[in-house]
């Protein structure tokens, strides 16, 4: 008997159509699920398509929309500026638009690995501060605008970016403290992380609105958006700390021990050897957390901050366009989907790229 006789027979590779057919009807269970799915789509898609497109009103007035059974996309055209920018003064709306472009440009640069340098870390607080100045104004240079007039997409992007950028350094410190040999510091870190992860974000927002002002000295106040940002950053840091801790555990202890034998101190070891590897490993996880945090900013509506969702809800309460909530929510859902789906695809691309670089 030769070695060839011992090899198992090789089956011909299945084509794309064969694999597709086997996936749908490879067994009677697959066939039942496929047929049930097709029946559900036939029942749902035609009336939904008719409401969304065929019977929809694309231009006109609210009365013309109510005369038809389809969606009123004329409402979106009429209220688009309000949904995106809320109550910001019309003659100054170039400022929130510019702030959105700056934030999107910063996010695009951050997504490209070739820009992962020290300058990018410096650009984050600089761009966020510039966006805040554009929104709030600067006496003598830009007309001041009160934060209760802010709203829409700029508020969502600025709060999300500022809170995430603030939470990440704190998360690194919490993760290091949780792995520390100092028992008291480790217990404090564990207690903070588990406390924050054990309460809902809505409760944190109510603390920012109701409890945090009581902690300020008498006669002093803090802007509502700033209070919300502080508490959200502290809340998100607990979740990011666990992601970073997973990256720290992925770095072999031998590398830290080898660096210690060379005379490097703890912080130099963390800075030069451990953290660069740990953060590189968990970048896909951080991206996924960032997507979830962006979607969670919709909870700002419960405390009266006119983020994108709350601005859309308020637009449908206009007496001239009263009741078109479905269209408002669908439009906002599409915006969140673009960010969420784009971020998820980017995360998959980045994970493949980093895996390829590690193999090479």
């Amino acid at each position: 008997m030769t070695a060839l006789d011992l090899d198992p027979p090789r089956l011909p590779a299945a084509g794309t159509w064969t694999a597709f057919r086997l996936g749908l009807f490879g067994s009677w269970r697959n066939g039942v699920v496929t047929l049930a799915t097709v029946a559900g789509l036939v029942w749902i898609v035609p009336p939904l398509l008719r409401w969304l497109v065929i019977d929809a009103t694309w231009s006109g007035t609210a009365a013309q929309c109510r005369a038809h059974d389809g969606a009123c996309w004329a409402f979106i055209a009429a209220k688009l500026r309000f949904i995106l920018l809320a109550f910001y003064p019309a003659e100054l709306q170039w400022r929130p638009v510019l702030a959105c472009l700056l934030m999107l440009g910063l996010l695009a640069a951050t997504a490209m690995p070739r820009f992962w340098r020290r300058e990018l870390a410096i650009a984050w607080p600089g761009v966020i501060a510039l966006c805040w100045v554009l929104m709030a104004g600067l006496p003598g240079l830009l007309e001041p605008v009160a934060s209760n007039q802010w709203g829409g997409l700029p508020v969502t992007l600025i709060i999300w970016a500022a809170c995430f950028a603030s939470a990440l350094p704190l998360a690194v410190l919490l993760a290091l403290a949780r792995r520390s040999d100092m028992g008291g510091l480790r217990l404090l870190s564990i207690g903070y992380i588990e406390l924050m992860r054990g309460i809902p974000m809505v409760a944190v927002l109510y603390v920012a609105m109701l409890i945090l002002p009581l902690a300020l000295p008498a006669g002093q106040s803090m802007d509502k958006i700033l209070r919300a940002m502080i508490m959200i950053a502290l809340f998100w840091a607990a979740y990011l700390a666990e992601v970073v801790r997973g990256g720290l555990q992925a770095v072999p202890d031998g590398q830290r021990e080898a660096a210690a034998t060379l005379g490097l101190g703890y912080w130099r070891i963390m800075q030069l050897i451990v953290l660069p590897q740990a953060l590189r490993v968990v970048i896909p996880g951080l991206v996924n957390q960032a997507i979830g945090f962006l979607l969670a900013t919709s909870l700002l509506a419960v405390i009266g901050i006119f983020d994108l969702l709350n601005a859309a809800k308020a637009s449908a309460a206009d007496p001239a366009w009263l009741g078109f909530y479905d269209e408002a929510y669908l439009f906002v859902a599409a915006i969140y989907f673009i960010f969420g789906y784009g971020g998820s695809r980017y995360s998959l691309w980045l994970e493949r790229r980093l895996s390829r670089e590690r193999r090479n």
Side-chain angles (χ1 to χ4, degrees), residues 28-254:
W28 69 268
R29 295 183 181 87
N30 285 8
V32 170
V33 172
T34 300
L35 293 176
T37 303
V38 171
L41 292 176
V42 170
W43 180 56
I44 294 174
V45 171
L48 182 62
L49 185 63
R50 179 175 295 276
W51 184 81
L52 287 173
V53 180
I54 299 175
D55 294 337
T57 302
W58 298 92
S59 62
T61 63
Q64 292 174 323
C65 285
R66 294 188 177 94
H68 297 82
D69 295 330
C72 181
W73 301 122
F75 161 77
I76 298 298
K79 306 299 291 185
L80 178 63
R81 181 173 294 186
F82 182 85
I83 294 174
L84 295 179
L85 303 175
F87 299 104
Y88 209 89
E91 67 276 8
L92 302 176
Q93 287 182 351
W94 64 270
R95 285 157 51 178
V97 170
L98 180 58
C100 284
L101 294 177
L102 287 173
M103 289 305 312
L104 293 175
L106 180 63
L107 293 173
T110 305
M112 302 178 186
R114 65 173 176 269
F115 292 126
W116 292 353
R117 297 189 294 269
R118 181 176 301 176
E119 293 79 5
L120 183 62
I122 298 174
W124 264 90
V127 172
I128 291 173
L130 179 59
C131 291
W132 186 272
V133 170
L134 283 171
M135 295 290 293
L138 198 62
L141 185 61
L142 295 174
E143 180 180 344
V145 177
S147 62
N148 57 8
Q149 294 181 277
W150 302 7
L153 186 60
V155 168
T156 295
L157 289 179
I158 290 174
I159 291 179
W160 169 75
C163 291
F164 191 84
S166 303
L168 186 56
L170 179 58
V172 172
L173 294 177
L174 287 170
L176 292 175
R178 186 158 188 171
R179 288 176 52 84
S180 173
D181 295 331
M182 301 173 61
L185 184 62
R186 184 172 65 252
L187 288 176
L188 287 175
S189 173
I190 293 173
Y192 177 86
I193 291 172
E194 297 304 327
L195 175 64
M196 284 298 184
R197 294 176 66 202
I199 58 178
M201 183 173 167
V202 173
V204 173
L205 293 175
Y206 280 124
V207 168
M209 294 301 103
L210 303 176
I211 307 301
L212 191 57
L214 300 178
L216 298 176
Q220 295 188 8
S221 62
M222 183 183 295
D223 186 86
K224 177 171 66 174
I225 293 180
L226 278 177
R227 280 182 275 146
M229 289 169 63
I230 291 173
M231 293 305 300
I232 291 172
L234 294 175
F235 179 77
W236 287 355
Y239 287 85
L240 293 177
E242 290 299 280
V243 177
V244 175
R245 185 168 68 94
L248 293 174
Q249 291 177 338
V251 179
D253 292 335

